[in-house]
């Protein structure tokens, strides 16, 4: 291995460590606890080293969001592929989405609530975000119904899931009724 390859590998390792540490700290104490000073202390590097990877907290949030989007896409695809018919796939997708949001609140916030400097629904949208939407579209597009644009249907269904995740987490909806809400959504789909 050349010196250049070793340096690139070390840089990538440091970057993964920064993101993992930020994510862990945010999940434990919330995003307000994630500062460059605290991250530098936890990973035992100086703040200038942190700034050589990320210009600030916003970019770190963006990196966590991209990682989370990739994880969510993978989880949704795995759950849907294990199900049979379209209605069962959508049910699995919805459950997986809501479980991801519940298990990873700081990551979910990085993805959808906080400013990570990422463009959504644009040409320059990062690939992990496009892939997460594609994972939803792959399963929801087929149940949109005749004359309904699959992308728009996916956006509306996603908005419903996001609303359920956000309102449940905020204590506005009782968590014990989550399964009934999912079933209500799925039962209204136009497919048999």
């Amino acid at each position: 291995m050349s010196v250049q390859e070793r340096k690139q590998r070390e840089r990538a390792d440091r970057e993964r460590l920064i993101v993992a540490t930020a994510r862990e700290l945010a999940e434990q104490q919330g995003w307000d606890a994630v500062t460059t000073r605290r991250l530098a202390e936890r990973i035992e590097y100086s703040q200038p080293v942190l700034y050589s990877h990320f210009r600030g907290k916003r970019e770190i949030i963006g990196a966590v969001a991209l990682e989370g989007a990739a994880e969510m896409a993978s989880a949704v695809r795995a759950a849907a592929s294990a199900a049979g018919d379209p209605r069962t796939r959508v049910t699995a997708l919805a459950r997986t989405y809501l479980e991801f949001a519940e298990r990873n609140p700081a990551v979910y916030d990085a993805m959808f609530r906080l400013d990570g400097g990422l463009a959504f629904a644009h040409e320059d949208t990062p690939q992990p975000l496009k892939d997460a939407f594609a994972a939803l579209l792959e399963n929801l597009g087929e149940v949109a119904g005749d004359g309904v644009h699959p992308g728009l249907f996916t956006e509306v269904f996603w908005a419903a899931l996001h609303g359920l995740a956000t309102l449940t987490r905020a204590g506005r909806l009782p968590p014990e009724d989550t399964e009934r809400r999912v079933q209500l959504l799925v039962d209204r789909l136009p497919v048999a």
Side-chain angles (χ1 to χ4, degrees):
M1 176 181 299
S2 72
V3 172
Q4 182 65 23
E5 290 171 330
R6 181 184 54 79
K7 285 183 179 185
Q8 287 175 338
R9 187 187 75 233
E10 289 172 355
R11 180 172 177 73
D13 288 345
R14 267 194 314 273
E15 196 163 300
R16 279 191 294 276
L17 178 62
I18 293 166
V19 172
T21 304
R23 184 175 174 165
E24 178 184 319
L25 187 57
E27 291 293 1
Q28 291 172 352
Q29 300 177 30
W31 278 104
D32 288 341
V34 179
T35 64
T36 53
R37 176 173 289 172
R38 273 183 119 169
L39 285 174
E41 289 171 4
R42 282 209 174 187
I43 65 172
E44 298 177 345
Y45 283 102
S46 67
Q47 282 182 290
V49 169
L50 230 84
Y51 285 115
S52 75
H53 291 273
F54 300 99
R55 287 185 294 225
K57 183 176 177 176
R58 182 178 187 219
E59 283 189 5
I60 294 168
I61 290 169
V64 169
L66 293 176
E67 190 176 90
E71 290 171 12
M72 184 189 304
S74 177
V76 163
R77 282 190 174 109
S81 70
D85 63 276
R87 192 175 292 278
T88 307
R89 282 194 296 277
V90 173
T91 301
L93 173 152
R95 286 179 183 144
T96 300
Y97 183 99
L98 295 172
E99 288 167 5
F100 180 89
E102 182 183 356
R103 277 191 330 270
N104 305 284
V107 174
Y108 193 82
D109 284 350
M111 292 167 65
F112 300 120
R113 193 179 67 79
L114 302 174
D115 178 10
L118 304 173
F120 284 81
H122 293 288
E123 275 187 34
D124 59 341
T125 297
Q127 192 57 45
L129 298 179
K130 289 179 181 179
D131 196 42
F133 185 77
L136 298 175
L137 179 62
E138 290 160 10
N139 296 288
L140 293 168
E142 69 179 323
V143 299
D146 293 336
V148 178
H149 187 279
L152 291 176
F153 180 80
T154 300
E155 289 172 351
V156 171
F157 199 91
W158 172 30
L161 291 176
H162 176 71
L164 290 174
T166 303
L167 291 169
T168 301
R169 183 168 155 207
R172 305 298 196 271
L173 297 175
E176 62 271 11
D177 291 331
T178 297
E179 184 59 31
R180 288 180 39 204
R181 289 186 196 96
V182 167
Q183 224 30 74
L184 183 63
L185 271 176
V186 173
D187 287 347
R188 299 304 179 265
L189 294 174
V191 296

